[in-house]
Amino acid sequence: MSKDAISTDGAYLVIRDGQKWSDVFRLVPGRTVTIGRAATNKIVVREDKASRQHAEIFFTDDHWMVRDLGSRNGTLVGDEPLQGDRRLVPGDVVHIASTELRFVDDLTNAYGARERTGTASNAPDSAAAAANTVVPAHSSDTGSYKVSEPQTITHRRQRPKILTDSSDEIRVDEDLPPAGVAAKKICRLAFELANVRNLKKIADRALDSLITETGTDSGAIMLVPRNRRTTVDPQRLDVLAAYSKIRPEYQRLSKFLAETALRNNEAVLARDVQDDSALGIRDSEGKVYATSVICAPIRLNNRSIGLVHLYSTTRKVLDPDDLEFTLAVAETIGVALKTTYREQKLVDDLSKTKNQISLLRDQLGVESEIVGNSPAMFRVHQQISKAAPSRATVLVRGESGVGKELVARSVHFSSDRRSGPFVCINCAALSESLLESELFGHEKGAFTGATERKAGKFETADKGTLMLDEIGEMSPSIQAKFLRVLEGHPFERVGGSRAIQVNVRVIAATNRDLEESVRQGTFRKDLFFRLHVVQIDVPPLRERPEDVMDLAGYFLEKFNRETGRRIDGFSPDAIGQLKEYTWPGNVRELKNVIERAVVLASGNTIQLDELMLTKLPALDQPGSISATVTRSFQPESLEEVEKRHIAATLDSTGWNKSQTAKILGIERSTLDRKIKKFGLKRS
């Protein structure tokens, strides 16, 4: 290194922003420092006059160099514009906009004369000035800057030593008293437990620390079951972690110790106890062999929810310092458990809230008003008004597309549960395992893909209504579990063990013949009778033709709003076809037909050829599959079949020859010849 080269041990940029010193940046050889307005720079200059990539400082040939990166307003070193690369010497000031960057190799020379105290009465002598670091603390009344005590800037990116040193390194720390060493260990344990979200792992880590630091040979961490908060029976406590260096294995504590810790909320250190019943630690011959015992309560919200139990069977005798350390660990476990329980509750609440928000959004998009004034729908309204005030299970039956979910929503919003959630799930859309998870929820890790705890539909629908569509598709194993919940029993999430009780009204819907399923053994008889309390039968659209035009008008207005179209109504031919059509897809098909017609309509009125109705017959019509199978075979020629088919197609299109030819897949002229050949006439 040349004699005038800058030492690599210390090179700094002292940054002055406006009237105050704002930062000190240490320069490291091999690392280029970029300066500019963009947030990706090492030093960010938040001024409009600075370019996004303004300048850079780099180390080469034992010198620090500065280079302008083609900035818009240029870079100054002192009073001179920067041209090309320039070597920096201590004391140089780089100007970028109104920001100054002073280059120094000694922080005691970081500030100029005007930054030091300027009056003769308080100015430090040259020796003091060289030994002191000036801190830019501006004084509004004097305009001077204060001189502070010597300072050292230490750069660290690693985790604190107190959290990373091994136990042996802490143990031999001669600068700390025993209490300080114990505090370090508790601090480290608290940090580790704060990053654990599993009860078993919390207990294992805490017990490892207790065994190591107290030197005992046996111990355990136990919790009172959440559904038995008042118990003090040691045999009923859940052992989260246990350890014993000797035989026999870990021995549970006595009822006396458990009662003292849990009921009296006291910690106990027992040594040289003559009454062996107090210790409860016995060997294979029934003799007490523990030299000392510690039992400390684990507290949550000032209530004992578990305990730490340690005992020694060797010459190691537990002392009051061990008791204090155990108490501190027990308190730390309580805080970790509180954090874990809160996080679990937040996850549950978040899952419920997400489901409820999704359901509310769905409800906003589905009108709860049932359209139709026919006698058949009047009977449905009567059934809804009778079923809604009760708490009975409702079974809604009807063909696919008749509006069973709409009926279920009407029951819910007409009941006293209207302020609660309405949750709907299609049992036919999910496999058996997914349906169980959707209904009852699952714990984290219950199966592949279960990355977090999820509340099921039953939990989401608490104090509300749960609709199970296509209930006849539910597998027998799910039927059994579902029946228990219907009868008021609690349930457990998939992969969980905690019993969950909910208050939910169930509405089931199906288009299947459940009685036939019961006879075939695919549907449980007891579940059928449990569901078949109140039944609402929704008639198919072909049985209430007087509602067709009301529904068509309703959907026309709805899709006019959604698409921005202005279609006034239907042509006479279209109205006639809508009324005569049998609607095998029921209201769902009518809705889709109107939506398609609104999108494709070329004028202000929907025409017959824009309806695009299907040729599928209704389930109980002569042309349906069931009717075709049961009808006796009538031999006839191909010519008769063709004649009858062309006539039926002409009738279905209202003798619209262009549409008929398109459906038949023939030319219009060919259709005219066949009409003339078969002598077909419009009825």
Side-chain angles (χ1 to χ4, degrees), residues 314-490:
T314 62
R315 293 182 179 180
K316 163 66 179 179
V317 178
L318 299 171
D319 55 31
D321 288 340
D322 295 323
L323 176 62
E324 289 299 320
F325 185 80
T326 304
L327 274 170
V329 172
E331 292 294 329
T332 304
I333 295 173
V335 174
L337 293 179
K338 184 176 183 179
T339 302
T340 300
Y341 290 151
R342 281 183 174 177
E343 185 174 279
Q344 289 176 352
K345 187 176 185 303
L346 287 173
V347 170
D348 292 344
D349 292 345
L350 180 61
S351 178
K352 287 184 179 180
T353 303
K354 285 182 177 178
N355 288 339
Q356 290 175 357
I357 290 174
S358 177
L359 294 167
L360 288 173
R361 286 175 176 170
D362 292 341
Q363 289 176 12
L364 289 174
V366 179
E367 279 70 356
S368 60
E369 180 183 359
I370 297 177
V371 178
N373 296 308
S374 63
M377 290 309 298
F378 179 73
R379 288 191 294 271
V380 172
H381 283 292
Q382 285 184 317
Q383 292 173 323
I384 291 173
S385 62
K386 292 178 181 179
S390 70
R391 297 184 178 181
T393 304
V394 179
L395 180 62
V396 182
R397 309 185 75 163
E399 296 177 8
S400 179
V402 296
K404 296 187 291 295
E405 182 178 345
L406 208 58
V407 171
R409 288 183 184 274
S410 296
V411 172
H412 169 74
F413 289 113
S414 300
S415 69
D416 56 359
R417 295 174 178 263
R418 66 178 66 89
S419 59
F422 176 84
V423 182
C424 182
I425 182 172
N426 191 327
C427 300
L430 301 170
S431 64
E432 179 178 341
S433 57
L434 288 178
L435 178 59
E436 183 178 12
S437 172
E438 284 293 317
L439 284 176
F440 307 110
H442 62 255
E443 297 288 346
K444 181 179 179 180
F447 50 84
T448 303
T451 57
E452 62 181 15
R453 173 184 287 181
K454 178 181 178 182
K457 299 300 185 184
F458 269 106
E459 289 182 75
T460 306
D462 191 25
K463 297 181 178 60
T465 303
L466 174 63
M467 178 192 175
L468 298 173
D469 201 4
E470 306 296 348
I471 188 70
E473 307 297 332
M474 187 179 288
S475 66
S477 60
I478 304 296
Q479 290 177 29
K481 191 171 182 179
F482 175 57
L483 178 60
R484 282 186 54 81
V485 180
L486 275 183
E487 292 175 343
H489 296 283

Side-chain angles (χ1 to χ4, degrees), residues 53 120 171 255 298 305 308 316 350 378 459 475 505 513 522 532 602 638 654 660:
Q53 303 290 334
R171 189 182 299 278
K255 189 173 182 180
I298 298 172
I305 63 166
V308 176
K316 163 66 179 179
L350 180 61
F378 179 73
E459 289 182 75
S475 66
R505 181 182 190 177
D513 186 348
T522 58
H532 197 249
S602 57
L638 290 175
T660 301

Side-chain angles (χ1 to χ4, degrees), residues 16 52 57 80 108 131 188 196 214 221-222 248 263 269-270 299 307 402 414 445 462 482 503 519 529 537 549 630 662:
R16 183 183 183 87
R52 293 183 59 82
I57 295 176
E80 299 178 4
T108 59
R188 177 185 300 169
V196 179
T214 62
I221 295 177
M222 291 168 273
R263 185 164 292 171
L269 168 61
R299 287 184 280 261
L307 51 85
V402 296
S414 300
D462 191 25
F482 175 57
N503 178 13
R519 285 192 290 270
F529 289 125
D537 294 303
M549 293 313 300
T630 58
K662 185 177 179 181

Side-chain angles (χ1 to χ4, degrees), residues 119-149:
T119 60
S121 60
N122 59 5
D125 58 25
S126 59
N132 287 278
T133 299
V134 180
V135 178
H138 182 67
S139 174
S140 59
D141 54 343
T142 64
S144 63
Y145 286 79
K146 300 179 182 178
V147 179
S148 73
E149 294 298 324

Side-chain angles (χ1 to χ4, degrees), residues 148-167:
S148 73
E149 294 298 324
Q151 298 182 14
T152 300
I153 298 177
T154 303
H155 295 262
R156 279 182 52 80
R157 294 188 179 182
Q158 295 78 19
R159 293 172 62 189
K161 290 183 179 180
I162 193 173
L163 302 179
T164 56
D165 288 344
S166 66
S167 298

